[in-house]
Amino acid sequence: MNRSKIFTYFLATGSVATAFLMVRYPNVAIQGSITGLDIWWDKVFPALFPFFVLAELMIGFGVVNFAGILMEPVMRPIFRLPGIGGFVFMMGLVSGFPAGARITAQLYKEKKLSKSEAERLASFTNFSNPLFLFSVTAVEFFGQASLGILFALAHYIGNICVGLVMRFYGTHEDQQRSAFSHRLLTHALENMHQERIAHKVPFGKKLGDAVIASVNTLLAIGGYIALFSMLYQLLLQIGAISLLSSGMSAALKAIGFTPELGSAVIPGLFELTIGDHSVAESSAPLIERVILVSGLLGFCGFSIQAQAMSILSQAGLSSKPFLIGRFLQMFFSSIAAFFLFHLFQMSSRSVTETAFAVGSTFKQLSHPTLIYGPWITFTSLMIFILILLRRTEKTKKSIK
């Protein structure tokens, strides 16, 4: 029996089993879905929506071409990618997952990246939002703002290492290298202008397109969050999570970690936020908790992986490099956290004070989002509906 048939049978069995559990435990399924949708409504949508719209506009206005030309001399020799990969890297770093996969897929559709380039780029531009690293993980979960810089550095170093490894993936296409010169900036500006002229669209329509595309993606993300939240609660109900926790505890004990952390890590394999919180609240030594949380941040959970894989598959890209990248980042980020933890212990007091100041700043920045997040989601969805209604009316009038 070939792998394709086995995979088909596995998917069919899994979907039937999930449907059976939903019928068997309807209250658990509903509550799990509601929990996931609450996270999406209050935090995920308001955090990602502005960045998604901004990325769409920047692509349309030629900013990607501008950044691509400037970053070409750096991205080509290091990651074997065109300069626009640097734009995706920075946008993914600032906005968080799955922004890297989404922007990569968009650039591939516009033929600004080859297939292998897009797959490599998506494998190491999957970042956690800085607000989550500093204000949520370090401040709220661990109660130590100084750990924010450690988590961020371990996370970013892990992704960069993934990029260095994945540069050997895929075909070696002919590459044009840009050299540094005093005319590089002028050329970049001219190229940005030509890109905007080539896709000349009224600003109102471009903004509407950006809103529609962003909301459509976020609606799909909300569905994945609700699905995996429900799935985790169902598996918890039938005892499957306890079985997985026992296996994880044995694995952690084998490498010298506290076995009790096994039950805290398993939730993070499904949903990152729950797992980080569980590990942070455990009584294990701090260094073990820091290493495991850094690994979970790199792995990012099945829910986020499914979101990114869906975006990539819709664009015709393989998810294999992305999945390989998650395991590599989990490994590299954990190793980096181990060394950074000891380095920070030996660092001067000024470094710790700087880390505390950065963590506190991110906490203050995230406070308005926590308060006004639901209103941002509601307003954005209303605008989305109004744009669709207006365009539907215009279409009907043009047909008549």
Side-chain angles (χ1 to χ4, degrees):
M1 188 181 298
N2 58 42
R3 292 182 179 180
S4 180
K5 286 186 177 180
I6 294 175
F7 188 60
T8 299
Y9 299 153
F10 173 78
L11 291 176
T13 304
S15 60
V16 171
T18 302
F20 172 78
L21 290 175
M22 290 174 63
V23 175
R24 178 68 177 80
Y25 305 104
N27 292 333
V28 175
I30 292 172
Q31 189 57 47
S33 298
I34 292 175
T35 301
L37 289 175
D38 282 342
I39 295 173
W40 175 79
W41 182 273
D42 293 340
K43 298 177 181 178
V44 176
F45 191 105
L48 291 180
F49 178 72
F51 290 101
F52 279 9
V53 173
L54 182 62
E56 288 283 341
L57 293 176
M58 293 174 77
I59 292 173
F61 294 150
V63 177
V64 175
N65 287 45
F66 172 79
I69 292 175
L70 291 182
M71 301 187 74
E72 183 85 5
V74 177
M75 295 299 293
R76 281 293 185 192
I78 297 178
F79 299 112
R80 197 161 66 87
L81 288 168
I84 56 175
F87 170 81
V88 181
F89 186 89
M90 295 307 299
M91 288 298 294
L93 187 150
V94 172
S95 56
F97 28 60
R102 184 179 184 279
I103 301 172
T104 298
Q106 182 66 23
L107 293 176
Y108 172 67
K109 290 177 182 178
E110 296 187 3
K111 302 187 184 303
K112 297 182 185 296
L113 293 168
S114 69
K115 190 173 188 292
S116 63
E117 287 174 342
E119 290 170 352
R120 288 202 306 274
L121 183 59
S123 71
F124 72 98
T125 53
N126 192 64
F127 290 98
S128 178
N129 190 300
L131 293 176
F132 183 80
L133 292 173
F134 283 91
S135 66
V136 178
T137 304
V139 178
E140 299 295 338
F141 292 170
F142 280 85
Q144 299 186 41
S146 58
L147 288 176
I149 289 183
L150 189 155
F151 286 129
L153 287 176
H155 193 59
Y156 301 153
I157 289 171
N159 242 351
I160 291 172
C161 290
V162 173
L164 294 175
V165 172
M166 295 303 292
R167 76 185 306 276
F168 301 103
Y169 170 86
T171 57
H172 289 262
E173 297 109 343
D174 294 331
Q175 301 172 355
Q176 293 182 351
R177 298 179 181 269
S178 298
F180 287 104
S181 72
H182 66 281
R183 299 186 62 184
L184 188 63
L185 179 60
T186 304
H187 177 50
L189 290 170
E190 179 62 25
N191 192 276
M192 178 176 68
H193 173 68
Q194 294 300 328
E195 177 70 11
R196 187 189 70 83
I197 296 300
H199 300 86
K200 193 171 183 179
V201 177
F203 177 79
K205 185 179 185 307
K206 192 177 292 291
L207 180 60
D209 291 342
V211 170
I212 290 174
S214 300
V215 172
N216 280 332
T217 301
L218 285 165
L219 288 173
I221 290 173
Y224 277 106
I225 294 175
L227 174 63
F228 278 89
S229 178
M230 177 196 70
L231 183 61
Y232 172 75
Q233 292 299 327
L234 290 174
L235 292 176
L236 186 65
Q237 182 70 28
I238 63 175
I241 297 298
S242 298
L243 185 62
L244 292 173
S245 297
S246 299
M248 181 62 70
S249 296
L252 290 175
K253 184 179 181 180
I255 61 175
F257 277 51
T258 305
E260 288 73 19
L261 283 169
S263 59
V265 170
I266 292 300
L269 299 181
F270 289 85
E271 211 291 312
L272 177 61
T273 305
I274 300 174
D276 281 5
H277 187 247
S278 300
V279 173
E281 284 196 329
S282 69
S283 58
L286 180 60
I287 185 172
E288 294 182 12
R289 288 182 283 151
V290 167
I291 291 173
L292 287 178
V293 166
S294 296
L296 287 175
L297 288 167
F299 187 74
C300 74
F302 296 139
S303 175
I304 295 170
Q305 289 181 16
Q307 297 166 27
M309 289 167 60
S310 173
I311 294 170
L312 295 173
S313 62
Q314 288 177 20
L317 297 171
S318 171
S319 299
K320 183 179 178 180
F322 174 82
L323 291 175
I324 294 174
R326 300 293 58 75
F327 285 99
L328 289 175
Q329 188 184 2
M330 179 174 62
F331 173 76
F332 288 133
S333 294
S334 299
I335 297 297
F338 172 80
F339 287 105
L340 287 170
F341 185 87
H342 290 90
L343 180 64
F344 274 40
Q345 281 190 326
M346 296 184 294
S347 65
S348 63
R349 183 179 177 183
S350 60
V351 174
T352 303
E353 290 175 347
T354 301
F356 182 83
V358 173
S360 300
T361 300
F362 273 102
K363 184 178 180 180
Q364 293 175 2
L365 289 173
S366 64
H367 187 63
T369 302
L370 295 176
I371 296 176
Y372 303 111
W375 287 105
I376 294 173
T377 303
F378 177 78
T379 304
S380 302
L381 290 175
M382 290 299 101
I383 294 173
F384 169 73
I385 293 172
L386 290 174
I387 292 174
L388 286 182
L389 290 175
R390 185 177 179 182
R391 293 191 173 184
T392 302
E393 290 178 359
K394 286 186 176 180
T395 304
K396 289 181 179 178
K397 290 180 180 179
S398 63
I399 294 175
K400 291 179 181 180

